[in-house]
Amino acid sequence: MRIVVTGGAGFIGSHFVRSLLAGAYPPLAGAEVVVLDRFTYAGCRANLAQVADDPALTVVTGDVCDAALVSEVLSGADLVVHCAAESHVDRSIADGGEFVRTNVLGTQTLLEAAARVGVGRFLQVSTDEVYGSVEHGSWHEDQPLHPNSPYAASKASADLLALAFHRTHGLAVCVTRCSNNYGPYQFPEKALPLFVTNLLDGRKVPLYGDGGNVRDWLHVDDHCRGLALVAEAGRAGAVYHIGGGTELANRELVARLLELLGRDGTMVERVPDRKGHDRRYSLAFDRISEELGYAPRTGFESGLAETVKWYAEHRDWWLPLRQRLAREASPA
Ligand code: NAD
């Protein structure tokens, strides 16, 4: 079996690749794995260091918008797990161009090639953000899309393209939409690793608005197990939610981090709210539970404590990334 993981040097893609090569997904065991990654600021070779010498892994540096390269890489692939994306909402608010290019054009380029070369199955890895904000209850998979940020709009567009390729070309597409992931190797511009690494460095945590925005938290390991389940037995043309079942307001998340790191409320700095900030996301994930036997396994308390410990012990991983971000924010 040949599996192509786009964005396999990012946070979620690299977790999927490390787990797959470690044998965590028995139906996919023994596969030849190809990572296709452009190594943007968010792609890190260090994320794949543990498996770099595995003969089953090939890493191709390249762009998902490069049609010739994509055709070559996808030839003979049984499964594509499409994680490559511009993924940071704040960057999409500052400038959405790269989001449309990678997330929409890149996905279309992959889908065209997948349909042409006859890829067995295509997983479009997406997000709860495509639905916009929900005040009460939880979204089901048939909820109309109402994305509010350029990032979410680009992901919604890519999801629709993927489903259209199923309908039009018969490509075996599954779309997965998940909650906010957390875990090791998450780029330190994202909220949770930003908060943790700030606190580890003795800096304040920037909290948007009143801190009341609610997110559902999902350990990256549970997300990737959900992806493997959908890869193995998901219905072609179906959308599956992968949720974590732990909803928290951002200020509650920060309170837990302060407690874990022995800090107090003086380490929190209120900052003006993000433009168009969705108030709450919430996914119903009974479809994947009932059809594929998915349930999150990592309890939030232990998962969060282990994640904080991982960042505390892996300063060598995140410090250079933070320094690069700082240089980017104020070039000399
Ligand atoms: P990430 O930003 O950590 O990684 C993205 C990866 O894609 C990087 O390795 C980057 O180099 C690569 N990439 C970017 N542009 C590319 C291009 N044009 N060609 C090839 N590679 C390119 O993102 P992540 O957090 O791992 O997210 C992975 C996927 O999961 C994304 O599609 C994202 O929308 C989705 N998602 C993430 C979350 C989350 O909480 N992190 C939640 C829901 C959905």
Side-chain angles (χ1 to χ4, degrees):
M1 180 186 264
R2 179 178 160 90
I3 302 177
V4 175
V5 182
T6 71
F11 166 48
I12 295 168
S14 70
H15 191 93
F16 186 83
V17 169
R18 292 192 307 272
S19 305
L20 175 59
L21 291 172
Y25 315 131
L28 307 179
E32 177 199 345
V33 180
V34 181
V35 164
L36 173 61
D37 199 298
R38 188 181 169 201
F39 289 94
T40 66
Y41 77 95
C44 301
R45 296 210 179 259
N47 296 4
L48 293 170
Q50 269 174 40
V51 288
D53 295 330
D54 192 318
L57 176 68
T58 306
V59 178
V60 177
T61 302
D63 193 329
V64 291
C65 299
D66 179 341
L69 176 68
V70 162
S71 274
E72 197 183 304
V73 171
L74 263 53
S75 286
D78 300 287
L79 169 67
V80 173
V81 181
H82 176 33
C83 293
E86 286 295 331
S87 67
H88 190 42
V89 175
D90 289 340
R91 286 181 186 254
S92 81
I93 293 168
D95 182 357
E98 205 50 37
F99 287 73
V100 173
R101 200 188 76 85
T102 287
N103 300 0
V104 184
L105 183 62
T107 302
Q108 183 254 345
T109 305
L110 286 160
L111 290 163
E112 294 274 359
R116 194 170 351 95
V117 305
V119 162
R121 179 168 289 250
F122 189 102
L123 248 64
Q124 160 66 7
V125 178
S126 189
T127 169
D128 55 7
E129 303 195 24
V130 296
Y131 298 113
S133 200
V134 63
E135 207 170 321
H136 306 290
S138 301
W139 293 303
H140 285 272
E141 284 87 349
D142 53 3
Q143 178 80 18
L145 306 188
H146 196 305
N148 288 322
S149 71
Y151 161 68
S154 68
K155 292 297 291 185
S157 310
D159 291 8
L160 294 178
L161 277 169
L163 294 170
F165 268 74
H166 169 66
R167 173 84 182 171
T168 305
H169 297 292
L171 183 65
V173 166
C174 290
V175 175
T176 60
R177 296 184 180 134
C178 69
S179 322
N180 267 37
N181 282 220
Y182 71 99
Y185 295 102
Q186 186 170 27
F187 197 82
E189 68 182 349
K190 299 284 172 62
L192 199 144
L194 174 73
F195 294 171
V196 174
T197 56
N198 268 15
L199 291 171
L200 287 169
D201 256 358
R203 294 174 205 222
K204 291 191 178 188
V205 165
L207 189 61
Y208 275 137
D210 66 357
N213 301 70
V214 173
R215 298 293 181 262
D216 174 44
W217 290 93
L218 168 69
H219 195 278
V220 64
D221 193 57
D222 284 322
H223 180 203
C224 289
R225 205 163 32 77
L227 293 177
L229 289 171
V230 175
E232 181 199 349
R235 277 181 294 114
V239 177
Y240 291 93
H241 287 171
I242 307 176
T246 303
E247 283 187 33
L248 285 179
N250 287 343
R251 58 173 172 263
E252 295 173 291
L253 173 70
V254 167
R256 289 186 190 217
L257 295 176
L258 291 172
E259 200 183 322
L260 280 167
L261 287 159
R263 299 289 192 155
D264 62 25
T266 59
M267 294 302 286
V268 180
E269 182 186 18
R270 296 289 169 115
V271 296
D273 208 355
R274 170 189 275 168
K275 282 186 188 173
H277 203 173
D278 285 329
R279 193 67 180 168
R280 176 172 173 262
Y281 299 136
S282 179
L283 289 178
F285 52 95
D286 25 319
R287 175 177 289 174
I288 190 171
S289 303
E290 285 162 18
E291 288 185 22
L292 306 176
Y294 166 83
R297 286 183 187 159
T298 311
F300 185 71
E301 255 169 60
S302 59
L304 189 68
E306 276 166 28
T307 300
V308 168
K309 187 166 175 280
W310 188 89
Y311 286 95
E313 290 171 352
H314 290 80
R315 187 175 281 269
D316 58 329
W317 178 81
W318 55 261
L319 196 59
L321 301 177
R322 283 196 59 130
Q323 286 167 340
R324 185 147 52 86
L325 282 177
R327 282 197 300 276
E328 204 182 273
S330 47

